Every structure is written in structure tokens, then in C-alpha cells.
Amino acid sequence: MLLRHTNANVTERQALTINPAKTCQPVGAMYAALGIHKCMPHSHGSQGCCAYHRSSLTRHYKDPVIATTSSFTEGASVFGGQANMLEAISNIFAVYDPEVIAIHTTCLSEVIGDDLVQIIKKAQDEGKIPKGRRVIHSSTPSFKGSHVTGYSNMVASMVQYFSENTGKKLKQVNLIPGFVEPSDMAEIKRIANEMGVKHVLFPDTSEVVNGPMDGKYHMYPKGGATVEQIKSAGDSQFSLALGRTGAMAAAKLLDTKCKVPCEILDLPIGLRATDEFIDNLRKIAGVHVPESLSVERGQVVDVMTDMQQYFYGKKVALVGDPDQLVSLAQFLTDLDMKVLYVVTGTKAGPKFDRRIKEVAGEHVVVKSGQQSDMFYFHQLIKGEKPDIIFGNTYAKYIARDEDIPLIRVGFPIYDRVGHQYMPLVGYRGAMRLLEKILTVILDRQDRDAPEESFELVM
Amino acid sequence: MTKFTNVNPEEVKAEILKKYPSKVARKRAKQIVINKVEDGDVVPEILANSRTVPGILTMRGCSYAGCKGVVLGPTRDILQITHGPIGCGFYSWLTRRNQTRPESDKDENFMTYAMSTDLQEDEVIFGGEKKLKKAIEEAVELFHPRAIGIFSTCPVGLIGDDVHAVSREMEAKFPDINIFGFSCEGYKGVSQSAGHHVANNKVFTDVVGLMDTPKDGKFRLNILGEYNIGGDAFEIDRITQKCGLTVHSTFSGNSTYDEFASSHTADLNVVMCHRSINYLAEMMEKKYGIPWFKVNFIGANASAKSLRKIGEYFGDKELRDTIEKVIAEEMVEVEKVRLDVLSRTQGKTAMLFVGGSRAHHYQELFAEIGMETLSAGYEFAHRDDYEGRKVIPNIVIDADTRNIEELTVEADDSRYAPRKSPEEMERMKSAGYKFEDYDGMMPEMKEGTLIIDDLNHYEAEILIEKYKPDIFCAGIKEKYVVQKMGIPLKQLHSYDYSGPYAGFQGAINFYKEIDRMVNSNVFKLAKAPWQESPELAASYAWTK
């Protein structure tokens, strides 16, 4: 057994996290920053953080992930990181020529109390930032929140630094996705385009970390939201935040800073969350939903009804990030599946627990925050065994030990491709999920059925 | 210029330096060296193990990664707790592919568990020691380990948590468990290398020498600096066993706590990765009298050479005969595959920028299939890994290195036992047998090759553009950057999830792997037909 020391006997832990169901803020901030066009993410801390985050994102996307670091040594840690940061800014503009440097802090620079606002101002005053170029920052200490919080903070910083209410109202809607894949961001744009709704989507990592292979390396690929676009978000009619933990902060800030009203929706994963997104967008923009989207929706419902017998009553266990978990729990419940456990290391608060129980039933065991980890998740699974696990790549150790199929969702996915290119959001995403779920259920049935009841048609 | 290229290295160097701000250019000029090998293997001086330039896209990681990730990570039954916020523990969780094979289903294996104190803001403000103690208690309750290692992350050092005091206190509470802490905060030193040293020191003071039970076997040795990535240590175990050697302990691939604790009972230390573990070899020699020398099991010829050298050390005729027999036997299949692959790889070129020894070792394997290394460099090595140990007395110790403790080691009162008499050692040395040796990468590389320390992204792009190598070797962060340019990249940290590449079977695996990579069709498919020939014939333009 790979996880041979795990048993079903759950004991309370107060200090030790085992096999975390979250990681730290900076990786989320780095990912979000990649969603700005021509941006160099910068990690203000010792260089190991940056190496770990780049490695992690690269393994997940199998595409180049760039980011620079302040490379703190012991001296910088004692005397402050200002000198390193200023040198880094000069070097980055000289060697890599980005439009934007998006700095995120680390536990190290937060503990020593580096004041990034002051450092950026100093760089500006000393002429280290070329004309028209921008340096922004986000405070993302690893001892608070999780990778989702880091993402959320960096997106809010984009608003803080770029968005402006210039007084003219633009006929556009802001779409702020939570921590989702580039394929999901592209799909959200496609849906809005299909509806004819002019929009600004940020951050936008599509065609950044899922770029094509064309024989050339592009340090700054085509994708990413431009500074102009993010700036114009302050003049938009409305913002839709897709995911409470990942996208709410930026939308709220647009409201307070630029007076752009907002609505916080669930991530549009699954049928009903997608319905809600499209219905809201329709009402805000005053448009009709085109037939093409109704057809896509109808196809999803078609598969749900056609194959209902296979979904019904199947037990599922979910580990991952709050926004995905809420929408997944709802979709799986809509499929007549029974959600047993929902675990996330991200501190999601009592609202999250309530919401999960609201969509999936009072029976669900929900745990979030400290020590809500995969060790605990595994212990629950050993108690009552689900038919399917939903989680990131690390859940495969549990899946193998317990002989339960795993459907990979969330971050990180180190061992499969697909998430970069094919969405989970929207009706197309729902269809992809249905296919994944049916495949694991029917493959199991094919594998385990007695020979006489091995079915040709299913 | 070398046989395989007409690119002028001076011009490439100038081109690289051109774009840098002057301060950076001055520093990098000392880290980019055009190789020249003079009599006595004298090579030009290179600047290494020096600070990374802030803001440069570097390959390097940190001290924590070197200590927890590299050196201790591969050990399966030392329960490892990362003390700090969650990230560090998360990223070092199973990502290095250190394989391990517990002897039975019941044996301990903690490698699949990432444990962390997940420090929160309150604990950063008021101190995290209380939480660490509680975490240790909880780990003991759940896992009953024999040994626990505590690994410090950046904030731990700054807030003043004393992991060593906590370890002592908890050890007093759990006297059956050996508990020790590592001050491997990420900001220590200039790269992973500092963490290797921290790890070596602690393993030496707190683990090695605790058990005086030797393993059975006539010719017992430890293999240092072999981390069993992709199963390399399994292959080395296979061939050494076949030769009649007993590998007492591997530091630290597929290893156990007991093997570490009793490793001082072996009669020889051989060193694979010089950079990460030479400290331990030196300290064990001083304290216990175990001689050490450098070996290399990467490459079939290198493996054969290393086995012969080990055979010669033990001096036993039967052993040496067996070694010859094993080499002859193994080389049959190796040669068959090698010659087949050679017909498709001969004359192709490679670049290697990785680690602290791999960029050197793997040149052997490429040479065996007729491929030349045009340029190479390490990510975190020191001058001695480039120029050879002969330069150690001349290496200037800077502030960053001084921050890493250098242990003073003396001979153990009762257990110091020179495995060979001083006369015997002298006799062997004068006959040309080398101990405590590492000649470094540069003396073995061709004249005119470019040696670059701490290569960065921008420089890699220029190298590829100028030299157009057939394959580039580095790590995951570099992989897709290089492959977008249409050049395959072989990861030499993770082996692209294959392996083993050590020993004889490993050489076969590597030959086949490189054959696949440099002769693959997929890289030729980057252009669509309409991109290859975009011109339109008028007669086709019917859609107007």
C-alpha cells in the first residue's frame, strides 16, 4: 500500500497537516499574473519559492511558465529586500522587457516587513521603471489563506493598480473567473461572445499557458488581459465574479473603487451553475440567449436523462478548492449521485459548509481549513467507500490503495493532459464531466461484471 | 569551435553579455568560460556558488529544497515534518521521483506523506514552537516512527523558533525516537547546495554511528550521493550484488534509518554526486577512518571503470575476477543496443545544464552513442566540481558560505579504524590510485566548449539559437521553453518520468531514450502545409 499508515480511525489533530489539500498563496498569485498580457510575475523572497511555483505550474500545464525572483540571501533577510527588489526591477526591464511586473510577496518578505508600495515608488523615482511600464504588487504571505487566496489577492491588485472610473460608462461587462484553467477562461469568453455581450475577462491565461507549438518560443504569448482592458473594467456596467473565494475580492473592489456593481456567482461548472451564469449575463446585458447555447444545454440534459441509470445513487467524495467543490457538489447531486465527503484545505468559512449542505444535503461531511487534508479525506473514505473520487493528482495514491476510480479536477494535475485545452465550465464543460464520469463508471462495470452479464450495449 | 560546430564561443559569450546591465555583465563574464585544458588538467577559473542575480529567470532552488528535497527526501522511515507555512512541504511532496522499496508490506514508508505545521499568521507573530511540539506529538501518536526530522523554512529562522531545542525537548519526552532538526531555511546560502551541506552535517552528528551492527558481507561499502531517481540505485544494487559487493547504505536512495545509523561499519565510501555529499564522505573518513573516492555509474564504461576501481580497493582476486566477468556479461547487451543506436545518433550534439554532477556524468552516456557536448554547466555546483578538487585550497570563502556551519571532526576514540594502513594508502596513491578525488567537469570537456555556471533562461535561448543542438538537458522549468523551439529537452532531474539510467541496464535505457528523442517525428510537425507554403494559386481562390 502506498499510504500504508493511514487507518479509518479519525483522531482530532490541532497542529499537524498531513498530505495537504491546499498549497500556498504565491503560486496562485503567480498564476493570476500570467493572465496579464506581457507580464513578468515576480516572487519577492528567496529563490526556492519561485522555483517551486514555476515547477508546479509547469508540471500542471506542460507549457513554459516564467517568473523572476528577488533571490534573497541571509543578508537580504536581515537587512530587508529593497536592494534586491530594485536590482531585480532594473534587470527585468533590461533583459525581458515586459509591459508589467506583477510582484507577489512570500512569507519571508512579509515577516521582515518589506514595504512594496514604498519600494515601487522608489523604483519609479529613481527612473528604474521605463515610461509606460507598470510595476504592481500583491501581498500574499504563505501563512495566510491558500493558493486560491493568492490568486484572488493578485486579481484584486490588478483592480487596485489598473482599473479606473473615468466617468464614461462603457457597454461592457466584467467577467472575473476564479482559479480555473485557461480552457475555462476561453470557454467563458466564448459563451459571452456567443451571446453577443461585450466583456472584459481578467485575468486571462488562455493562450498563455496553453499556447500552441509553432517552432518558436514566445516569452510573452498572444494571450492575457491587457492593462488597457483591466483599466477599462472600472468603466464597465457590471461585474460578474465567478467563484466566491477566487473572484469575489476583485469584484467587490471594483464596486467600492470604481462604483461598478457586482454579483457573486458560483463557478459555472455543471448544468445549473452554468444556467445561473448565462441567465445573469442575459439580464445584465439585456440580450437573448442564442439558440446555439440552448442546444448545448439540451444536449447536456439529454445525456443526463439517457444515462440516468448509471449515475443514480453512486457515492462520490470530493477534495479540492472551495469554488469548484460547491459547483461540483451541486452538479453531482443533480445527477442523483450521493456526495459523501467534501474536503478543502482552504479556509472557506461556515458559509461554505452551509452552501455545500444546501446543494448536496445535510448528510455530507464537510471540512475546510487547517488539518482538513487528504489524510483526513482518506480516513473518511476508509470509513464508507465512495464509488468515485474527485480530486487533484495527489488523490491517485488514495484511489490506487482503495481501488476507487479518480476523476482529476483542480490543481495540481501533474499526470494527465486535457485540463489545459478542454473546459470544465459551461455546457461543454458539463458534457466533458459527464463523459468522464460515465467512462469511469462503465469501465468499472465492464471490468467487474460476471462474464454472462457483460453488456454490449450500455 | 570544436569538431562538431563552427560556432565561435567568444562571439556567443559577447552576444550574451551585450544585453546585460554592466554590473550583471561583469559578474556573468566570470561565470561564462571558454574551456581550455592545459597540462596537469589545469583549466580556466570559473565563478561558481555565487549569488544569483535578482530578477534573472534562474533555474536554482533553495536550501530547504537541497536539504529536505534532495538529501533526506529519499529516506523512507525518517518521518519528516516541514516546519513552516504549507507551501514548502507541499512542493517537496513526491515530486523528485525517489523510488523506494520497503522490504515488506508491514515496513515503514513515510515518503508518500507530506507533513507540515502549516504555520498561520498568529504563530508567525507569537512563535511556532508550541505548534511544532504538538505536531510532533500528533505524528508520534499516528505513525510511531523511530526517527523524526524537522525541516526549517524561511520564516522559522526569522521568528526565532529553535527547532533544535524543540527536537531535544521532544526527544526527552519520547526517548525511543531520534528527533533532529535542520536549519535549512530557504534564504541560507545561494542555492540548493547550502541545504546539502546542512543535511550532511546533521545526518553525520545525529544519525551516523548510532548502531554498531554491520551488514553481512565481505566487501562492504556505502554509496553516497545516489538518490534513486527513476530506480538508479536499484540498478546499482543489482550490479554490485552480482559482483559480490555489499552495499551497506545508500545515501539516500531507497535507504532506511538503520542503514544510515550503522553506515560507519562499512569499509569504503564511494561518492556519486560529489557536490551534494562530499562533506559526509570527508567527515566519515576523519571520524571513522573510511576512505572515499569518486565513482560514476552513469555510462556503461564509467560503471565498468567504477566497479574495477572498487575491486582494486578491496584487492581480492576473486572479487576482481567476478567484476570482470559481470562487466563482460553486461556489456554484451549494452554493446548490441549501443551500436544500433549509434548508427542514428552519431555526430549529433547535446547541451547539459543541470545539478551539481549530472551535467558532467551524462556527457559519458552521450559520448558512448557518438554525441558531443557543446556546452555544459551546473545549476548549484562549486568551483571544485568544474575545475577539480585541486582548487579547493584556493576557493575564497564568502559570507554566504560562512553562514553554513562547518563541523570540526575528530577521530572517534573507540571506533576510528583506518581501513587501510597509511603505508598501504601511500603505496596505492603512488601507483596512481586516487582517493578523495574529483577531477571536475572541465578537464574532461573539449577545448572551446562553453562552460556556463547558473545558466539562465535568456542565455539558454541564445545558446540554442546559435548552436542549434540536437538535444538540451535541464529541468522541468526549462523543458517546454526549449521544446517550443523545436528542440527536445531531456529532464535530468526527473528523467522525464522514466529511467533508470545508471549502470548497464540504465545505459541501455538512456541510449534508447535519446534515440527516440533526437529522431522523433513529432518535432517536424510544427508547421501546417499552408504555413510551409503560404502562396495562393489564383485558380483556387474561388471563394471570392
Side-chain angles (χ1 to χ4, degrees):
Chain A
M1 294 293 230
L2 289 160
L3 297 162
R4 58 182 62 188
H5 303 285
T6 309
N7 62 46
N9 180 24
V10 178
T11 51
E12 201 208 345
R13 278 176 282 136
Q14 290 158 0
L16 185 69
T17 292
I18 313 165
N19 295 356
K22 66 165 177 185
T23 179
C24 65
Q25 282 209 64
V27 75
M30 185 182 282
Y31 174 59
L34 290 165
I36 303 173
H37 183 61
K38 282 201 84 176
C39 175
M40 179 65 81
H42 182 88
S43 164
H44 188 51
S46 60
Q47 70 206 3
C49 311
C50 189
Y52 273 145
H53 302 143
R54 287 182 64 206
S55 297
S56 181
L57 289 168
T58 307
R59 289 181 183 120
H60 180 79
Y61 289 112
K62 312 218 181 294
D63 232 24
V65 170
I66 53 163
T68 49
T69 162
S70 295
S71 293
F72 277 37
T73 55
E74 195 144 359
S77 309
V78 175
F79 301 114
Q82 175 170 296
N84 286 47
M85 190 65 247
L86 291 174
E87 194 188 340
I89 289 174
S90 298
N91 289 336
I92 293 165
F93 282 120
V95 183
Y96 308 114
D97 193 30
E99 298 262 337
V100 181
I101 299 175
I103 305 165
H104 60 262
T105 60
T106 58
C107 40
L108 176 55
S109 54
E110 288 282 344
V111 170
I112 62 180
D114 275 355
D115 180 351
L116 264 304
V117 174
Q118 178 266 323
I119 296 175
I120 293 169
K121 186 172 178 304
K122 194 170 161 65
Q124 193 84 55
D125 293 346
E126 290 176 3
K128 290 190 158 62
I129 304 173
K131 201 169 173 300
R133 305 304 163 87
R134 303 291 298 268
V135 178
I136 69 171
H137 96 285
S138 192
S139 171
T140 54
S142 329
F143 45 77
K144 270 165 115 172
S146 73
H147 58 295
V148 189
T149 327
Y151 172 93
S152 162
N153 283 337
M154 181 52 86
V155 184
S157 292
M158 294 175 197
V159 172
Q160 186 65 48
Y161 275 90
F162 297 143
S163 302
E164 272 177 46
N165 180 344
T166 63
K168 56 176 179 195
K169 271 286 168 206
L170 297 173
K171 288 200 164 127
Q172 64 181 24
V173 177
N174 300 325
L175 299 175
I176 307 171
F179 194 142
V180 290
E181 303 299 349
S183 52
D184 295 320
M185 295 182 184
E187 180 63 8
I188 294 165
K189 288 193 293 186
R190 189 191 68 88
I191 292 172
N193 286 334
E194 200 83 354
M195 294 170 70
V197 179
K198 195 156 176 283
H199 59 273
V200 171
L201 181 132
F202 72 94
D204 182 1
T205 58
S206 63
E207 294 189 56
V208 179
V209 288
N210 62 353
M213 157 73 178
D214 59 4
K216 285 196 203 88
Y217 168 66
H218 307 277
M219 174 163 253
Y220 305 109
K222 236 175 75 191
T226 63
V227 173
E228 263 323 296
Q229 285 172 326
I230 304 173
K231 185 178 163 197
S232 79
D235 286 332
S236 293
Q237 304 283 336
F238 207 89
S239 304
L240 283 182
L242 307 177
R244 177 168 289 273
T245 51
M248 182 170 73
K252 291 263 180 190
L253 186 60
L254 270 165
D255 192 347
T256 50
K257 188 187 170 200
C258 305
K259 305 286 171 279
V260 180
C262 67
E263 187 77 50
I264 317 300
L265 303 178
D266 290 337
L267 261 181
I269 291 176
L271 188 79
R272 286 208 281 165
T274 304
D275 285 352
E276 199 194 10
F277 164 57
I278 290 175
D279 205 35
N280 268 277
L281 191 56
R282 169 183 76 95
K283 288 176 187 161
I284 291 159
V287 296
H288 291 290
V289 177
E291 183 60 18
S292 57
L293 287 178
S294 297
V295 170
E296 282 179 27
R297 182 184 192 279
Q299 288 169 332
V300 171
V301 181
D302 196 50
V303 174
M304 288 168 73
T305 50
D306 291 349
M307 306 302 271
Q308 195 251 357
Q309 72 191 83
Y310 301 105
F311 298 119
Y312 185 84
K314 291 285 188 302
K315 292 178 289 185
V316 292
L318 280 55
V319 60
D321 301 335
D323 294 343
Q324 276 86 346
L325 292 173
V326 167
S327 302
L328 266 179
Q330 172 153 57
F331 186 45
L332 298 172
T333 307
D334 286 345
L335 286 168
D336 296 317
M337 298 171 105
K338 190 180 176 199
V339 179
L340 297 180
Y341 320 120
V342 174
V343 171
T344 175
T346 298
K347 195 175 165 194
K351 267 192 186 162
F352 171 76
D353 292 17
R354 259 204 321 275
R355 185 91 180 99
I356 291 287
K357 292 193 176 198
E358 208 176 277
V359 299
E362 283 301 318
H363 66 275
V364 186
V365 179
V366 192
K367 195 167 187 288
S368 75
Q370 288 236 299
Q371 292 95 40
S372 301
D373 47 32
M374 287 208 199
F375 183 79
Y376 169 71
F377 182 67
H378 190 181
Q379 289 185 309
L380 292 176
I381 285 173
K382 280 189 179 285
E384 185 185 354
K385 200 173 156 178
D387 298 297
I388 306 176
I389 297 171
F390 287 77
N392 66 27
T393 288
Y394 282 104
K396 82 182 198 179
Y397 290 79
I398 302 172
R400 178 174 150 134
D401 274 4
E402 304 302 331
D403 189 25
I404 300 169
L406 166 68
I407 292 179
R408 286 163 179 78
V409 287
F411 177 82
I413 297 173
Y414 287 154
D415 61 338
R416 295 292 188 275
V417 292
H419 51 280
Q420 307 93 325
Y421 307 105
M422 288 172 279
L424 278 189
V425 302
Y427 300 124
R428 286 184 175 176
M431 190 63 97
R432 181 164 171 250
L433 262 174
L434 290 177
E435 191 192 2
K436 276 176 179 280
I437 296 167
L438 279 170
T439 301
V440 300
I441 292 172
L442 299 181
D443 278 354
R444 274 284 144 142
Q445 190 177 322
D446 282 346
R447 190 192 76 176
D448 298 339
E451 288 190 359
E452 65 276 15
S453 48
F454 185 66
E455 300 295 337
L456 174 73
V457 184
M458 294 169 108
Chain B
M1 275 179 272
T2 70
K3 196 175 87 188
F4 288 77
T5 172
N6 48 16
V7 178
N8 182 335
E10 294 283 359
E11 282 171 18
V12 176
K13 182 174 176 178
E15 165 95 20
I16 286 172
L17 297 178
K18 210 166 64 185
K19 200 173 186 180
Y20 284 131
S22 54
K23 188 181 157 195
V24 180
R26 277 198 303 278
K27 183 181 169 81
R28 292 301 298 159
K30 293 181 223 160
Q31 290 175 283
I32 303 173
V33 169
I34 295 148
N35 198 31
K36 192 171 167 63
V37 188
E38 290 174 275
D39 285 351
D41 283 351
V42 175
V43 291
E45 179 176 336
I46 188 165
L47 177 66
N49 191 34
S50 102
R51 288 183 186 178
T52 315
V53 178
I56 293 297
L57 274 160
T58 175
M59 295 181 181
R60 282 177 169 176
C62 66
S63 171
Y64 167 86
C67 180
K68 201 276 181 186
V70 174
V71 180
L72 270 300
T75 313
R76 66 173 168 263
D77 60 354
I78 298 178
L79 186 141
Q80 310 194 0
I81 300 176
T82 298
H83 185 38
I86 198 66
C88 310
F90 180 88
Y91 302 112
S92 55
W93 179 16
L94 289 165
T95 44
R96 282 188 53 82
R97 298 194 67 235
N98 310 109
Q99 300 188 358
T100 202
R101 202 182 276 153
E103 276 168 32
S104 81
D105 286 354
K106 301 278 170 286
D107 281 344
E108 291 174 320
N109 178 14
F110 303 129
M111 280 172 65
T112 47
Y113 296 92
M115 305 201 199
S116 168
T117 51
D118 187 11
L119 280 189
Q120 299 296 298
E121 190 165 29
D122 276 2
E123 290 126 17
V124 168
I125 296 168
F126 300 111
E129 291 187 6
K130 213 172 108 194
K131 192 177 196 181
L132 175 59
K133 287 178 208 169
K134 183 88 183 119
I136 293 171
E137 283 171 7
E138 289 172 358
V140 170
E141 174 83 29
L142 283 167
F143 297 95
H144 322 290
R146 316 207 7 246
I148 299 177
I150 311 295
F151 298 85
S152 305
T153 62
C154 291
V156 167
L158 292 175
I159 64 177
D161 276 5
D162 186 342
V163 296
H164 309 289
V166 170
S167 299
R168 281 192 298 273
E169 189 186 325
M170 296 314 283
E171 208 173 74
K173 187 166 178 180
F174 303 108
D176 297 338
I177 307 173
N178 186 359
I179 305 176
F180 38 91
F182 296 85
S183 292
C184 55
E185 290 87 347
Y187 55 77
K188 294 263 172 84
V190 300
S191 70
Q192 293 93 312
S193 175
H196 304 149
H197 197 162
V198 171
N200 278 229
N201 286 351
K202 204 60 174 178
V203 168
F204 179 72
T205 56
D206 282 48
V207 184
V208 173
L210 291 181
M211 277 175 66
D212 288 324
T213 343
K215 272 192 188 172
D216 291 339
K218 209 166 155 195
F219 311 109
R220 294 167 310 112
L221 69 157
N222 300 312
I223 297 180
L224 275 55
E226 166 48 60
Y227 303 108
N228 202 25
I229 290 170
D232 278 352
F234 293 147
E235 167 67 2
I236 296 172
D237 281 350
R238 182 186 73 83
I239 57 181
T240 44
Q241 211 167 33
K242 208 169 153 187
C243 292
L245 296 160
T246 302
V247 174
H248 184 103
S249 171
T250 302
F251 286 82
S252 52
N254 191 36
S255 61
T256 63
Y257 172 75
D258 284 354
E259 287 168 346
F260 284 179
S262 56
S263 59
H264 62 292
T265 61
D267 294 322
L268 170 67
N269 280 335
V270 296
V271 172
M272 271 288 285
C273 174
H274 174 260
R275 181 68 269 134
S276 60
I277 210 132
N278 73 87
Y279 319 95
L280 188 64
E282 284 192 45
M283 293 188 286
M284 285 177 77
E285 162 133 49
K286 280 187 193 145
K287 187 167 180 181
Y288 301 107
I290 308 173
W292 73 270
F293 54 79
K294 175 85 178 68
V295 291
N296 178 18
F297 284 101
I298 302 297
N301 293 331
S303 299
K305 202 170 129 191
S306 297
L307 287 173
R308 288 188 177 115
K309 186 162 178 180
I310 294 168
E312 210 178 320
Y313 171 84
F314 286 109
D316 182 89
K317 167 92 174 52
E318 200 186 317
L319 173 68
R320 293 173 72 172
D321 289 348
T322 316
I323 286 172
E324 288 308 325
K325 213 180 98 205
V326 170
I327 293 170
E329 222 173 85
E330 295 282 334
M331 285 307 272
V332 176
E333 181 65 14
V334 169
E335 273 305 283
K336 202 176 105 197
V337 177
R338 189 184 75 84
L339 290 171
D340 174 47
V341 169
L342 182 78
S343 65
R344 291 179 297 274
T345 51
Q346 175 89 53
K348 294 196 185 286
T349 56
M351 290 187 174
L352 301 89
F353 292 94
V354 65
S357 69
R358 289 174 192 264
H360 179 197
H361 288 166
Y362 277 80
Q363 294 184 28
E364 296 254 5
L365 273 169
F366 281 115
E368 287 171 3
I369 48 172
M371 290 178 65
E372 164 131 324
T373 303
L374 300 175
S375 182
Y378 297 121
E379 187 181 335
F380 49 74
H382 301 195
R383 271 185 67 195
D384 37 323
D385 305 297
Y386 286 102
E387 302 169 51
R389 284 180 66 91
K390 60 184 178 296
V391 303
I392 288 178
N394 310 325
I395 295 178
V396 182
I397 306 295
D398 61 12
D400 297 315
T401 305
R402 252 194 299 276
N403 287 336
I404 311 301
E405 191 187 7
E406 189 74 47
L407 298 179
T408 314
V409 180
E410 279 164 19
D412 190 273
D413 285 345
S414 56
R415 294 177 295 178
Y416 178 81
R419 301 321 200 250
K420 292 203 182 286
S421 69
E423 300 77 40
E424 173 75 359
M425 292 287 277
E426 260 331 296
R427 192 190 57 73
M428 288 177 79
K429 281 182 198 170
S430 56
Y433 196 93
K434 286 183 181 170
F435 288 100
E436 295 164 52
D437 62 324
Y438 181 39
D439 295 336
M441 170 204 278
M442 287 165 71
E444 288 186 12
M445 285 187 68
K446 296 245 161 70
E447 194 142 328
T449 49
L450 260 184
I451 316 294
I452 307 183
D453 182 58
D454 185 21
L455 179 90
N456 62 57
H457 174 109
Y458 151 73
E459 294 167 0
E461 270 195 77
I462 293 185
L463 285 185
I464 289 169
E465 186 193 308
K466 299 288 174 198
Y467 284 96
K468 299 188 175 56
D470 294 296
I471 195 165
F472 197 94
C473 302
I476 184 70
K477 301 192 292 299
E478 297 75 40
K479 182 165 175 91
Y480 303 104
V481 172
V482 173
Q483 293 202 163
K484 287 277 191 219
M485 297 183 230
I487 294 186
L489 184 142
K490 182 74 201 158
Q491 291 187 63
L492 287 187
H493 294 281
S494 72
Y495 297 172
D496 292 322
Y497 330 109
S498 79
Y501 296 148
F504 301 107
Q505 277 304 317
I508 290 172
N509 292 340
F510 194 78
Y511 303 156
K512 289 181 176 170
E513 181 74 353
I514 297 307
D515 183 21
R516 168 184 74 75
M517 292 183 85
V518 300
N519 293 308
S520 165
N521 283 322
V522 293
F523 286 97
K524 299 169 196 152
L525 301 171
K527 291 270 176 286
W530 54 91
Q531 290 165 326
E532 299 275 16
S533 42
E535 64 279 359
L536 284 174
S539 59
Y540 294 162
W542 52 270
T543 51
K544 280 181 198 163

